[in-house]
PDB file of all heavy atoms in Angstrom:
ATOM      1  N   TRP A  94     -77.454 -47.656  14.842  1.00 95.00           N
ATOM      2  CA  TRP A  94     -77.220 -46.282  14.336  1.00 95.00           C
ATOM      3  C   TRP A  94     -76.727 -45.380  15.469  1.00 95.00           C
ATOM      4  O   TRP A  94     -75.677 -44.721  15.360  1.00 95.00           O
ATOM      5  CB  TRP A  94     -78.492 -45.727  13.698  1.00 95.00           C
ATOM      6  CG  TRP A  94     -78.486 -44.216  13.531  1.00 95.00           C
ATOM      7  CD1 TRP A  94     -79.306 -43.342  14.159  1.00 95.00           C
ATOM      8  CD2 TRP A  94     -77.640 -43.442  12.690  1.00 95.00           C
ATOM      9  NE1 TRP A  94     -79.054 -42.068  13.782  1.00 95.00           N
ATOM     10  CE2 TRP A  94     -77.985 -42.097  12.848  1.00 95.00           C
ATOM     11  CE3 TRP A  94     -76.601 -43.758  11.798  1.00 95.00           C
ATOM     12  CZ2 TRP A  94     -77.380 -41.064  12.173  1.00 95.00           C
ATOM     13  CZ3 TRP A  94     -76.023 -42.699  11.145  1.00 95.00           C
ATOM     14  CH2 TRP A  94     -76.374 -41.378  11.327  1.00 95.00           C
ATOM     15  N   GLY A  98     -73.156 -46.007  14.739  1.00 94.00           N
ATOM     16  CA  GLY A  98     -73.099 -45.251  13.478  1.00 94.00           C
ATOM     17  C   GLY A  98     -73.438 -46.064  12.245  1.00 94.00           C
ATOM     18  O   GLY A  98     -73.160 -45.612  11.131  1.00 94.00           O
ATOM     19  N   PHE A  99     -74.042 -47.281  12.413  1.00 95.00           N
ATOM     20  CA  PHE A  99     -74.444 -48.053  11.222  1.00 95.00           C
ATOM     21  C   PHE A  99     -75.631 -47.320  10.597  1.00 95.00           C
ATOM     22  O   PHE A  99     -76.689 -47.228  11.208  1.00 95.00           O
ATOM     23  CB  PHE A  99     -74.849 -49.474  11.626  1.00 95.00           C
ATOM     24  CG  PHE A  99     -73.651 -50.348  11.928  1.00 95.00           C
ATOM     25  CD1 PHE A  99     -73.051 -50.317  13.177  1.00 95.00           C
ATOM     26  CD2 PHE A  99     -73.136 -51.198  10.950  1.00 95.00           C
ATOM     27  CE1 PHE A  99     -71.960 -51.103  13.459  1.00 95.00           C
ATOM     28  CE2 PHE A  99     -72.040 -51.981  11.247  1.00 95.00           C
ATOM     29  CZ  PHE A  99     -71.434 -51.947  12.478  1.00 95.00           C
ATOM     30  N   ARG A 100     -75.420 -46.782   9.388  1.00 96.00           N
ATOM     31  CA  ARG A 100     -76.491 -45.940   8.827  1.00 96.00           C
ATOM     32  C   ARG A 100     -77.666 -46.791   8.301  1.00 96.00           C
ATOM     33  O   ARG A 100     -78.799 -46.415   8.426  1.00 96.00           O
ATOM     34  CB  ARG A 100     -75.916 -45.092   7.691  1.00 96.00           C
ATOM     35  CG  ARG A 100     -76.884 -44.004   7.263  1.00 96.00           C
ATOM     36  CD  ARG A 100     -76.471 -43.379   5.955  1.00 96.00           C
ATOM     37  NE  ARG A 100     -75.246 -42.622   6.060  1.00 96.00           N
ATOM     38  CZ  ARG A 100     -74.575 -42.206   5.006  1.00 96.00           C
ATOM     39  NH1 ARG A 100     -75.002 -42.483   3.800  1.00 96.00           N
ATOM     40  NH2 ARG A 100     -73.466 -41.515   5.173  1.00 96.00           N
ATOM     41  N   HIS A 101     -77.331 -47.938   7.699  1.00 96.00           N
ATOM     42  CA  HIS A 101     -78.418 -48.779   7.132  1.00 96.00           C
ATOM     43  C   HIS A 101     -78.459 -50.111   7.840  1.00 96.00           C
ATOM     44  O   HIS A 101     -77.400 -50.664   8.157  1.00 96.00           O
ATOM     45  CB  HIS A 101     -78.165 -49.047   5.637  1.00 96.00           C
ATOM     46  CG  HIS A 101     -78.097 -47.788   4.824  1.00 96.00           C
ATOM     47  ND1 HIS A 101     -79.213 -47.066   4.485  1.00 96.00           N
ATOM     48  CD2 HIS A 101     -77.046 -47.116   4.292  1.00 96.00           C
ATOM     49  CE1 HIS A 101     -78.858 -46.004   3.791  1.00 96.00           C
ATOM     50  NE2 HIS A 101     -77.521 -46.010   3.662  1.00 96.00           N
ATOM     51  N   ALA A 115     -84.024 -50.041   7.277  1.00 97.00           N
ATOM     52  CA  ALA A 115     -84.018 -48.805   8.070  1.00 97.00           C
ATOM     53  C   ALA A 115     -82.779 -47.983   7.717  1.00 97.00           C
ATOM     54  O   ALA A 115     -81.715 -48.536   7.398  1.00 97.00           O
ATOM     55  CB  ALA A 115     -83.988 -49.122   9.552  1.00 97.00           C
ATOM     56  N   THR A 116     -82.932 -46.657   7.728  1.00 96.00           N
ATOM     57  CA  THR A 116     -81.794 -45.751   7.494  1.00 96.00           C
ATOM     58  C   THR A 116     -81.739 -44.793   8.670  1.00 96.00           C
ATOM     59  O   THR A 116     -82.789 -44.244   9.045  1.00 96.00           O
ATOM     60  CB  THR A 116     -81.996 -44.990   6.184  1.00 96.00           C
ATOM     61  OG1 THR A 116     -82.066 -45.949   5.123  1.00 96.00           O
ATOM     62  CG2 THR A 116     -80.834 -44.021   5.909  1.00 96.00           C
ATOM     63  N   LYS A 117     -80.563 -44.646   9.240  1.00 95.00           N
ATOM     64  CA  LYS A 117     -80.341 -43.810  10.424  1.00 95.00           C
ATOM     65  C   LYS A 117     -81.362 -44.145  11.504  1.00 95.00           C
ATOM     66  O   LYS A 117     -81.966 -43.283  12.124  1.00 95.00           O
ATOM     67  CB  LYS A 117     -80.419 -42.324  10.067  1.00 95.00           C
ATOM     68  CG  LYS A 117     -79.312 -41.890   9.135  1.00 95.00           C
ATOM     69  CD  LYS A 117     -79.348 -40.419   8.864  1.00 95.00           C
ATOM     70  CE  LYS A 117     -78.206 -40.016   7.947  1.00 95.00           C
ATOM     71  NZ  LYS A 117     -78.274 -38.645   7.529  1.00 95.00           N
ATOM     72  N   GLU A 174     -70.681 -43.704  -2.210  1.00 92.00           N
ATOM     73  CA  GLU A 174     -70.162 -43.771  -0.835  1.00 92.00           C
ATOM     74  C   GLU A 174     -69.640 -45.171  -0.574  1.00 92.00           C
ATOM     75  O   GLU A 174     -69.952 -46.111  -1.294  1.00 92.00           O
ATOM     76  CB  GLU A 174     -71.285 -43.442   0.156  1.00 92.00           C
ATOM     77  CG  GLU A 174     -71.654 -41.969   0.185  1.00 92.00           C
ATOM     78  CD  GLU A 174     -72.613 -41.679   1.318  1.00 92.00           C
ATOM     79  OE1 GLU A 174     -73.818 -41.962   1.147  1.00 92.00           O
ATOM     80  OE2 GLU A 174     -72.146 -41.213   2.380  1.00 92.00           O
ATOM     81  N   PHE A 176     -69.002 -48.313   2.308  1.00 95.00           N
ATOM     82  CA  PHE A 176     -69.561 -48.845   3.563  1.00 95.00           C
ATOM     83  C   PHE A 176     -68.835 -50.112   3.944  1.00 95.00           C
ATOM     84  O   PHE A 176     -68.363 -50.857   3.095  1.00 95.00           O
ATOM     85  CB  PHE A 176     -71.046 -49.185   3.395  1.00 95.00           C
ATOM     86  CG  PHE A 176     -71.906 -47.973   3.116  1.00 95.00           C
ATOM     87  CD1 PHE A 176     -72.114 -47.537   1.820  1.00 95.00           C
ATOM     88  CD2 PHE A 176     -72.502 -47.284   4.173  1.00 95.00           C
ATOM     89  CE1 PHE A 176     -72.897 -46.420   1.570  1.00 95.00           C
ATOM     90  CE2 PHE A 176     -73.305 -46.167   3.907  1.00 95.00           C
ATOM     91  CZ  PHE A 176     -73.495 -45.733   2.607  1.00 95.00           C
ATOM     92  N   ALA A 203     -74.875 -51.614   7.501  1.00 96.00           N
ATOM     93  CA  ALA A 203     -73.861 -50.903   6.683  1.00 96.00           C
ATOM     94  C   ALA A 203     -73.327 -49.685   7.447  1.00 96.00           C
ATOM     95  O   ALA A 203     -74.075 -48.781   7.783  1.00 96.00           O
ATOM     96  CB  ALA A 203     -74.474 -50.483   5.360  1.00 96.00           C
ATOM     97  N   PRO A 205     -71.064 -46.473   7.273  1.00 95.00           N
ATOM     98  CA  PRO A 205     -70.427 -45.650   6.234  1.00 95.00           C
ATOM     99  C   PRO A 205     -68.975 -45.297   6.582  1.00 95.00           C
ATOM    100  O   PRO A 205     -68.670 -45.010   7.729  1.00 95.00           O
ATOM    101  CB  PRO A 205     -71.294 -44.387   6.220  1.00 95.00           C
ATOM    102  CG  PRO A 205     -71.898 -44.319   7.568  1.00 95.00           C
ATOM    103  CD  PRO A 205     -72.060 -45.709   8.069  1.00 95.00           C
TER     104      PRO A 205
END
Side-chain angles (χ1 to χ4, degrees):
W94 163 245
F99 284 83
R100 192 193 292 167
H101 300 284
T116 299
K117 295 184 179 173
E174 287 188 281
F176 296 88

